[in-house]
Amino acid sequence: MSSDVVIFVCTSCKREGDAPDAPRAGAALGEAVAVAGPHRVQFVKCLSNCSRGPSAALVRPGGWSYVFGKLEVEGSPEALHEGAALLGASEDGTMPWNSRPDILKRQMIARIPPFDFTPAESAP
């Protein structure tokens, strides 16, 4: 169910080359994501993806989590909500690759298995 997906947005992220005292690009991204769609948005101070900010993560209980970087206020908020809907509707707890917005294909940093993950196949 998509209402279980949370979009975490790092509010302390800067863009590469931003002056130390410049407004935080992550805070602007967070504001834009909060008004762009129906999913719960949670602001966090750091996702530890500083060299590739602004960053956000999609998290679903019992499903995979996804971390994205180098996001922009233009286009990324809608893509994050679309990704949250895909993740929430997924039966296997993953976000289908082919259905994702291009931003969520190009800007993915990591995909993290759920806490109770057990592989379908044994490792080599």
Side-chain angles (χ1 to χ4, degrees), residues 49-92:
N49 191 39
C50 303
S51 65
R52 296 174 282 188
S55 300
L58 300 180
V59 177
R60 171 187 160 179
W64 288 70
S65 298
Y66 295 82
V67 180
F68 303 95
K70 294 199 177 203
L71 299 173
E72 298 292 335
V73 170
E74 193 69 33
S76 296
E78 297 81 8
L80 288 166
H81 282 283
E82 187 175 337
L86 290 168
L87 181 58
S90 169
E91 290 187 24
D92 68 358

Side-chain angles (χ1 to χ4, degrees), residues 8 28 37-39 71 86 88 103 107:
F8 289 93
H39 298 92
L71 299 173
L86 290 168
I103 291 169
Q107 306 308 94

Side-chain angles (χ1 to χ4, degrees), residues 25 34-35 56 79 93 123:
V35 299

